Amino acid sequence: MAYMYLSIFESGETGAAEALSIDPASLYRAFEHVTDGRKKKGKRYPLPLLLTLLMLGKLAGETSVNGIVDWIKERQAWLRCHLDWPKRFPTNSTYSEALARCDAQQIVTAIASVLLKARAVEQCGSEPSRLQAHKHKQEEVLTHVAMDGKTLRGTLGHESEGQPSVHLVSLYECQSGIVLTQRAVQSKENEISAAAALVHPALVKGRIISTDAMHTQKKWCACVHAYEGYYLTIVKKNQPQMYQDLVDFFEDPDAEQQEWRSAKSVHKGHGRLEVRELWSSTQMNEWFETEWAGVAQVFRLRRQVKDGDKEREEIVYGLTNLPRKKANASRLLALQQAHWRIENRLHRRRDVTLGEDACQVRMTGAPEALAALNGGVLALMDWLQVPNVASQMRHFCAHPVEALHLLCSKLLR
């Protein structure tokens, strides 16, 4: 594939011989498709350069914009050489203004498109016929996506209208670690209505979307089913009648249990023993089908955890429009366990490793854009199959050229 020469100047100008070449399939080029909402006078620094520098600093372990500014300042001679940039590098306010004026969802889409294409090319090469065949094959293998919300705690407690609190709802590919889309909950809506806005045919078709009990809503499930997707939801007391129906059904000693299917998993480690058991049934389908579109199975999940001398048990119920031929009891159990990756591998790592909740960038729109970049950093780490993100960040800090190539070249493993 031909390379395009990077120049921060107009396209006709020539840069230094040492300047880095930018691949058309790189994240840098993808950022060129993010709309820059700044006024003409405020565009002294190209938006793709700003987003790339932010991700570069984050890959090197800096968790704040101030830290990134200082990290770049200490390496400005090296960066000028590689990026063909003759001016000073941006200040904190420049980044904040640019982040506030761009579309965070477009950043999410740009990062996801690069990673999804890199994954497809890795499996099929660049031959169009093989890529098309792979696309049809992917439609048969359902992709698991988890949906959940997260509050950016650093945005709480500010009274200014220009510094609103931010709560994001995201769709997260559990296997690849890619955030497919995110949406901020607006002032006059809640997470339920924001989640409904994420249901789009392009994001739903051929995917299994798992949620917690909050999103066990008839309208949401009906939309997912209508768009040829599959829902997998937990039922708690926010749906009191359905919850009681499921409790009565699975605890009925006279139930025809020969139709039920079951699966069990045992996990040991660090002095902790966790046993999960799931029972599924199709006997309640007719009972629920008038209100819950496409319902194909209901299930009961029991979690037993022994941690040292402490023991606890939790029983939850759920439903799905996945038929048994697409998801037996073992598959349902695996999907339920994989759903928590959105908490453990996305939300928790954004908070603990990337310091998202401590971030004090408050200008309207900027926290969402930074969250999109944080998700991109973690998706890149998962692409590289990094076992320890913090350790890899220290490596990138010591070898920043590797991180820069990751952002400016075609993704390769």
Side-chain angles (χ1 to χ4, degrees), residues 68-81:
I68 293 171
V69 169
D70 289 342
W71 187 90
I72 290 170
K73 182 179 178 181
E74 296 295 334
R75 294 158 181 81
Q76 55 186 325
W78 173 80
L79 280 169
R80 282 199 184 101
C81 176

Side-chain angles (χ1 to χ4, degrees), residues 167-335:
H167 184 88
L168 297 176
V169 184
S170 304
L171 289 181
Y172 173 80
E173 264 198 17
C174 294
Q175 186 170 3
S176 68
I178 299 172
V179 177
L180 297 175
T181 187
Q182 70 178 32
R183 188 179 189 277
V185 178
Q186 302 302 311
S187 59
K188 295 184 179 181
E189 65 179 4
N190 56 27
E191 186 175 318
I192 294 173
S193 54
L198 293 182
V199 180
H200 185 279
L203 294 171
V204 171
K205 185 176 180 180
R207 290 189 168 103
I208 301 168
I209 304 180
S210 60
T211 71
D212 58 22
M214 178 188 295
H215 299 289
T216 305
Q217 305 291 331
K218 296 171 186 176
K219 184 177 179 181
W220 184 84
C221 291
C223 288
V224 172
H225 184 68
Y227 292 150
E228 301 181 44
Y230 297 93
Y231 58 82
L232 179 66
T233 65
I234 294 298
V235 179
K236 291 187 177 179
K237 293 182 180 179
N238 61 324
Q239 295 288 345
Q241 186 58 58
M242 187 180 196
Y243 176 80
Q244 192 58 53
D245 288 343
L246 290 172
V247 171
D248 293 342
F249 172 72
F250 280 105
E251 293 186 358
D252 183 358
D254 299 322
E256 298 177 8
Q257 296 187 18
Q258 64 271 19
E259 181 272 339
W260 296 6
R261 299 292 182 269
S262 64
K264 181 178 180 179
S265 67
V266 179
H267 298 274
K268 298 179 181 179
H270 306 288
R272 175 187 171 103
L273 173 66
E274 182 173 358
V275 180
R276 293 170 174 251
E277 294 180 274
L278 183 142
W279 296 266
S280 67
S281 174
T282 62
Q283 293 174 334
M284 294 293 286
N285 293 352
E286 291 186 12
W287 184 261
F288 291 128
E289 65 183 3
T290 56
E291 295 186 317
W292 298 90
V295 59
Q297 296 185 76
V298 296
F299 60 88
R300 177 180 189 261
L301 174 63
R302 180 173 67 191
R303 304 186 187 103
Q304 295 174 306
V305 179
K306 184 176 181 180
D307 193 351
D309 296 330
K310 297 180 180 179
E311 294 186 29
R312 61 183 174 87
E313 179 181 272
E314 180 186 15
I315 296 176
V316 298
Y317 301 89
L319 79 161
T320 179
N321 62 336
L322 280 163
R324 275 184 174 165
K325 64 181 180 180
K326 292 185 180 292
N328 57 18
S330 296
R331 175 69 168 147
L332 291 178
L333 182 60
L335 288 169

Side-chain angles (χ1 to χ4, degrees), residues 396-409:
F396 281 142
C397 186
H399 307 279
V401 68
E402 293 183 24
L404 190 58
H405 275 283
L406 187 64
L407 299 171
C408 297
S409 303

Side-chain angles (χ1 to χ4, degrees), residues 24-152:
S26 66
L27 277 167
Y28 187 102
R29 290 299 181 206
F31 287 147
E32 292 178 344
H33 298 287
V34 178
T35 303
D36 190 345
R38 293 175 294 171
K39 295 180 180 179
K40 190 173 182 179
K41 283 187 177 180
K43 295 183 181 180
R44 294 179 56 200
Y45 300 91
L47 184 60
L49 174 67
L50 296 176
L51 297 177
T52 300
L53 290 173
L54 285 168
M55 284 200 74
L56 180 64
K58 286 178 175 291
L59 284 169
E62 297 298 332
T63 59
S64 68
V65 176
N66 278 335
I68 293 171
V69 169
D70 289 342
W71 187 90
I72 290 170
K73 182 179 178 181
E74 296 295 334
R75 294 158 181 81
Q76 55 186 325
W78 173 80
L79 280 169
R80 282 199 184 101
C81 176
H82 280 76
L83 293 176
D84 189 16
W85 181 249
K87 305 178 184 178
R88 294 181 300 172
F89 282 99
T91 61
N92 189 315
S93 60
T94 302
Y95 287 112
S96 297
E97 178 71 18
L99 290 169
R101 298 289 179 264
C102 69
D103 189 332
Q105 177 51 45
Q106 289 183 0
I107 296 175
V108 172
T109 301
I111 294 170
S113 66
V114 171
L115 286 160
L116 290 170
K117 184 172 181 180
R119 186 171 63 184
V121 170
E122 183 182 65
Q123 294 173 346
C124 307
S126 57
E127 299 175 29
S129 59
R130 292 182 65 195
L131 284 170
Q132 190 64 27
H134 176 67
K135 183 179 179 181
H136 291 310
K137 183 179 179 182
Q138 277 190 317
E139 291 174 356
E140 299 171 4
V141 180
L142 301 175
T143 305
H144 181 202
V145 176
M147 184 176 75
D148 196 20
K150 178 186 184 299
T151 298
L152 308 187

